[in-house]
Amino acid sequence: MSDASLTALTVEVVRKWDEAHGICGFELRRPDRAPLPGFSAGAHIDVHLPGGLVRQYSLCGSPARNDCYEIAVLRDEHGRGGSMAIHDRVQQGDLLRIGVPRNLFTLDAQAGRHLLLAGGIGVTPILSMAEQLACAGAPFEMHYCTRSREKTAFVERLARAAFRDHVQFHFDDAGAGQSLDIAAVLAAAPAQTHLYVCGPRGFMEAVLAEARMQGWAEHRLHYEFFAGAPADPGAETAFQVRIASSGASIVVPPGCSVVEALARAGVEVLTSCEQGVCGTCMTRVLEGHPDHRDTYLTDEEKLAGEYFLPCCSRSRSPVLVLDL
Ligand code: FES
């Protein structure tokens, strides 16, 4: 299991293209053109970027293809640097180290029908889901909301797709008549429908809040946040973490993550997304009560408090004892 060749591979960027305003697409293949590990719709890969950053990107190609992976990335000048690194420093012909696909956002095979809602660049896993459902002949409906047509990735691909009649675009600048009526779409869905939503946090929270208000059961709601809840350093307080193996106590001040505080004290915790999304940094808590800020653990796991994600989560108790 620890053999890195089982979990990581080298791929070549065989194509890089402008997919829409501010959005680049990347097609990745093995340098020897051998088949890639298979994936299911909703999967993502870790991409090791120039400068040492590691970021997760959803695969947006068809899961039926094993010759290439496709990802699409929105350049975010105000982000943490990953999107600018891939836009500016990764070119066609480059070799990249990537992780094998992992899926935390799967289609439910038991669902009678699927409702896919995408906001902006959140379309990437949703597009792959539409491909997989269309391939399987499963009933689905897709709604895709963006600011404008120029900022919409995959317009042409969706217009040409065999499943184009299942897709509705909603452009913000096209007038109120075109905007997505979340409440109406959810209310019109038959009882066995499962909902899948990906996009900006506000969009996802609005969709999920409406679904819950309409009585959709939790097992019918599927979603993937790009990042954990935004931190508010002003509202944070200091606490201590104690390392069980050494007994060392380390103060975590406001505005500093547990991972950062540990690193300053010479204790390394493996991280990847640094946003509470991927689960790489998951650490066992032996004493104390974590203040969970991630989107990786389930509500039950958060309640149990046995594990937490130190890249983003904090503590509700003055001390957290960690199994490190
Ligand atoms: S590094 Fe991804 S959840 Fe902490």
Side-chain angles (χ1 to χ4, degrees), residues 270-281 309 311:
L270 194 63
T271 61
S272 179
C273 71
E274 298 170 11
Q275 291 187 287
V277 175
C278 72
T280 304
C281 67
L309 284 307
C311 67

